[in-house]
Amino acid sequence: MVKITNQKKTNEMAFEPWSVEAVAAITQGKVVHPGATIHGIATDSRQVKPRDLYIPIIGARNDGHDFIDAACANGAAAVLCDSDHLPAWQGKIDAGIVGVADTFEAMRALAAANRARYDIPVVAVTGSAGKTTTKDLIASVLSMGYQTMKTQGNFNNEVGVPLTLFQLTPAHEAAVVEMGMNHSGEIARSIGEVRPHIGVITNIGSAHLENLGSKENTLKAKMEIFGTMGKEDIALINGDDPYLRRIVARDYRVVRVGIREPDVDLKAEAIREDLSGLYFEADGVLFHFKWPGIHNVYNCLIAIWIGRYYHLDDTAIQAGLDAFVPSGNRMQIAEVGGLRFVNDAYNANPESMRAAMDTVCAVAEGRKIAVLGDMFEIGENAEAWHRAVGEYAGTHMDVLIGVGEWAEALCEGARGAAPNHPAVAAATVDAAAQILGEIAQTGDTVLIKASHSLALDRIIDRIKNGDRREKLGEGK
């Protein structure tokens, strides 16, 4: 076990500088033009600060090499440049230039090198659902005793992970890194940069079936997070998940948390849920989490186990649970226009849809309205998945408004489960907002959930800006 110590603790929260020569050595490149010492790294020319290293990434739409001039204008101390683009820039700029074979691979090498500078505990988190909440919870708990770096925003892909690792400084005593994926091999390509001591998998669900084909393949892809771990490292998993239960100790230790299964290492018992959140016991200790939803018990158990593992007492752990604030449009609860909105519009898959509806059922005092939109990347059975989610809404929610391409499938599912269910399909977000304004009553709880690109949360803005009918709240 890597123990957290205060030996490295410092007030210095800045990037530890590199010389241009050091960058060339790490990337197996060549100094083409000397430059000043590097005090930060950026891949977006608009975000370059003075003394940064600019790394031009070649993407599907843009080639970062086209913006080297802009990066230099913003004060870049040096830039990376691949062999194909080097002739265009050599001798044309005053900043340092390091020629490399591939700027993306060079970025990864630099990220791994910055991670290797710091002998601190690193936790990596992945899963089909709940990984961002779990990452934030772990970081919130660890921050009660340690200076903790965590993934910000959606920086959880093959570009985001290196950018996250560049945030590590001498002041940090722990790090929590989120790792997303769409295809097999993505985590495997990044895990060598992260090299976690604890790898967390929250669950195996239906997300990414379009690319992976089956939950078995999803399990294999998620297990890539354990690829660099050794005998002192830990695979920390949801012990109730039927796919994750297949994981057995290999070169690493396996720890399970859960609610149902008897063989988990940390179990939540005496669970209750009300408007003030969740209450449960773990090893006889009562914990409270102010955000409802039984699925959050698993997220809390993971954070509790890690907090204890790194020597935090239960009082500090509870303080970390209390300090947690969800990222983005994740289970944000707000009162708008006489309605209670539960905004969970950041992402969606069948499992998280059902979990969100369960949460609304636990906290709603009036009618329960579900505004549910398209779930993307769930494969060739998308219509069946949407119909199944609609069926769940038909038995759990008082009203369903389906939005998007699969709106009719959602509504057909609801009416199939409950023939008289008031399910209404809307082709667009604006149409859904209009329908909601017409049928909602003061005191209703409204769940907003869909895949992020649908931007379903715009409905809340429409209601806030007065897109409601005068009869709203009159008990029609």
Side-chain angles (χ1 to χ4, degrees):
M1 174 178 92
V2 174
K3 296 181 179 179
I4 299 180
T5 71
N6 291 326
Q7 293 178 356
K8 284 183 172 288
K9 193 165 186 178
T10 171
N11 291 326
E12 184 56 59
M13 290 293 292
F15 180 84
E16 202 168 353
W18 269 323
S19 67
V20 173
E21 291 74 19
V23 168
I26 293 167
T27 61
Q28 299 183 359
K30 180 181 179 180
V31 178
V32 176
H33 188 276
T37 301
I38 292 159
H39 289 260
I41 295 177
T43 59
D44 186 330
S45 63
R46 297 165 297 183
Q47 297 176 1
V48 169
K49 300 184 296 295
R51 302 191 296 176
D52 275 357
L53 170 69
Y54 173 59
I55 303 178
I57 301 300
I58 301 174
R61 298 181 180 178
N62 296 307
D63 184 341
H65 292 86
D66 295 338
F67 304 99
I68 286 178
D69 261 341
C72 292
N74 285 335
V79 302
L80 298 186
C81 192
D82 71 21
S83 55
D84 291 337
H85 295 81
L86 191 56
W89 294 104
Q90 190 170 358
K92 306 291 178 60
I93 57 175
D94 293 331
I97 301 176
V98 177
V100 296
D102 184 298
T103 55
F104 184 78
E105 293 303 319
M107 176 182 66
R108 293 177 55 195
L110 289 168
N114 196 53
R115 155 71 180 92
R117 284 168 153 176
Y118 308 110
D119 185 20
I120 61 173
V122 175
V123 180
V125 183
T126 193
S128 296
K131 56 183 175 291
T132 299
T133 297
T134 302
K135 174 262 299 182
D136 288 338
L137 262 173
I138 295 168
S140 185
V141 167
L142 287 178
S143 67
M144 293 300 106
Y146 311 104
Q147 189 70 251
T148 303
M149 187 277 292
K150 70 172 184 176
T151 299
Q152 299 294 327
N154 61 349
F155 280 29
N156 64 2
N157 57 20
E158 289 187 87
V159 175
V161 168
L163 293 177
T164 295
L165 295 175
F166 290 139
Q167 302 308 307
L168 280 172
T169 74
H172 289 119
E173 299 167 294
V176 189
V177 180
E178 180 180 336
M179 304 191 73
M181 46 77 67
N182 290 311
H183 297 84
S184 177
E186 285 186 43
I187 292 177
R189 287 190 291 272
S190 297
I191 200 63
E193 303 156 32
V194 181
R195 301 192 69 83
H197 304 98
I198 299 178
V200 175
I201 305 180
T202 59
N203 48 51
I204 301 298
S206 304
H208 311 311
L209 286 181
E210 182 176 350
N211 297 321
L212 294 170
S214 68
K215 289 186 178 181
E216 288 80 4
N217 289 339
T218 301
L219 173 64
K220 293 176 183 177
K222 297 296 185 184
M223 285 183 65
E224 292 170 7
I225 203 167
F226 308 140
T228 62
M229 297 197 330
K231 63 181 180 180
E232 295 185 355
D233 300 324
I234 294 165
L236 180 55
I237 59 177
N238 178 339
D240 290 342
D241 186 287
Y243 288 88
L244 293 180
R245 287 189 64 79
R246 302 176 186 180
I247 297 174
V248 296
R250 299 183 182 183
D251 296 328
Y252 46 79
R253 175 183 167 194
V254 175
V255 173
R256 297 177 174 87
V257 301
I259 297 172
R260 299 188 303 271
E261 298 292 342
D263 61 347
V264 295
D265 298 275
L266 182 63
K267 187 173 185 177
E269 299 177 299
I271 301 169
R272 64 183 179 89
E273 185 177 20
D274 58 28
L275 287 172
S276 64
L278 292 164
Y279 297 84
F280 61 91
E281 293 181 9
D283 291 336
V285 178
L286 179 64
F287 288 97
H288 170 245
F289 187 56
K290 60 187 176 183
W291 302 93
I294 296 299
H295 58 286
N296 278 321
V297 175
Y298 293 100
N299 304 333
C300 289
L301 287 173
I302 289 168
I304 291 166
W305 192 93
I306 291 175
R308 288 175 172 177
Y309 185 71
Y310 287 119
H311 315 298
L312 293 175
D313 62 31
D314 291 330
T315 300
I317 291 170
Q318 180 60 66
L321 299 182
D322 292 340
F324 166 83
V325 176
S327 297
N329 295 327
R330 290 177 173 87
M331 299 308 292
Q332 298 280 353
I333 299 177
E335 302 285 341
V336 177
L339 308 175
R340 171 181 288 173
F341 281 94
V342 179
N343 180 12
D344 197 25
Y346 184 81
N347 214 337
N349 56 55
E351 292 81 8
S352 66
M353 284 282 205
R354 289 190 291 268
M357 285 186 272
D358 287 343
T359 298
V360 170
C361 289
V363 303
E365 294 179 325
R367 290 193 310 168
K368 304 179 292 294
I369 300 176
V371 183
L372 307 181
D374 294 334
M375 301 176 287
F376 300 135
E377 298 183 1
I378 57 174
E380 60 184 13
N381 294 319
E383 182 175 358
W385 283 117
H386 283 86
R387 196 178 302 276
V389 167
E391 289 174 2
Y392 200 80
T395 57
H396 289 74
M397 310 298 288
D398 297 305
V399 179
L400 168 64
I401 301 173
V403 190
E405 179 182 356
W406 299 108
E408 288 292 348
L410 285 163
C411 293
E412 288 170 6
R415 290 190 288 265
N420 295 319
H421 193 276
V424 185
T428 67
V429 173
D430 288 342
Q434 182 175 348
I435 293 168
L436 179 64
E438 292 173 349
I439 67 176
Q441 302 172 10
T442 295
D444 288 348
T445 297
V446 183
L447 170 65
I448 304 291
K449 190 162 181 64
S451 286
H452 181 62
S453 59
L454 197 63
L456 198 60
D457 55 302
R458 287 187 290 125
I459 288 175
I460 301 174
D461 293 332
R462 290 286 302 271
I463 298 297
K464 186 184 298 184
N465 293 331
D467 188 11
R468 341 172 18 186
R469 299 304 168 95
E470 291 298 323
K471 291 184 179 180
L472 178 60
E474 294 182 1
K476 64 177 189 287

